[in-house]
Amino acid sequence: MKSWPLAAVLAAAVLGLPAVTGCSAPTRNAKPLAATPIVTTPGGCPTAASLPLPKEFPADLPVPDGALVTSVERRSGERLVVATVVTSGFDRTLAFLQKQLPEAGYTLQEGEVEEDDAESNFSSPTFDGRWTLRKMPDCGGGVYLTYLTAPAS
């Protein structure tokens, strides 16, 4: 089991999770976005309005209801990293991803689940990607859910 500081450093380094803000449902087809500053309550929960989902985000890729988009990062190779906060809890969000992605036509591959985090690669005929899920220790029921997507090669 990973300690919280180590998990936080790894998540930030590997996934490029640059920010935590947000509070309303995401909106699709928005203008390009830059990383946003961290805005949280003293307990660590998001306090600012959700950023919209970018237009490049796969329209058919399931996102949990109420997910707060906290940052968007564009990388080389048309890769897109969308970081969110979901307040429905780790187990419920994990069950959503494991059920809804296959129902939407995405194949889950090479995943693992631990006590405080989970991840899985996914693919469809049009997109490849990876989702990661991490518990937020200072925001009751909150989890970081990050999507990395790219057009299928």
Side-chain angles (χ1 to χ4, degrees), residues 28-153:
R28 294 189 180 273
N29 300 323
K31 295 179 181 177
L33 303 169
T36 57
I38 295 174
V39 179
T40 61
T41 65
C45 294
T47 60
S50 178
L51 298 171
L53 281 171
K55 66 180 179 180
E56 306 94 325
F57 191 82
D60 61 348
L61 182 59
V63 176
D65 287 339
L68 311 172
V69 177
T70 60
S71 69
V72 174
E73 180 184 343
R74 287 167 177 80
R75 296 185 178 174
S76 63
E78 298 182 69
R79 293 177 299 154
L80 181 68
V81 178
V82 175
T84 72
V85 172
V86 181
T87 58
S88 57
F90 182 85
D91 292 338
R92 190 168 180 193
T93 305
L94 177 61
F96 171 90
L97 294 164
Q98 291 175 330
K99 181 177 187 229
Q100 295 300 316
L101 269 70
E103 287 183 4
Y106 288 87
T107 302
L108 300 177
Q109 307 158 333
E110 301 174 12
E112 71 174 9
V113 177
E114 296 179 9
E115 183 178 342
D116 295 334
D117 63 75
E119 59 270 333
S120 178
N121 293 338
F122 59 83
S123 64
S124 76
T126 55
F127 284 94
D128 294 323
R130 183 169 183 81
W131 58 259
T132 62
L133 188 62
R134 307 278 184 265
K135 286 185 180 178
M136 297 175 67
D138 295 331
C139 181
V143 292
Y144 296 111
L145 170 58
T146 304
Y147 294 93
L148 168 67
T149 62
S153 49

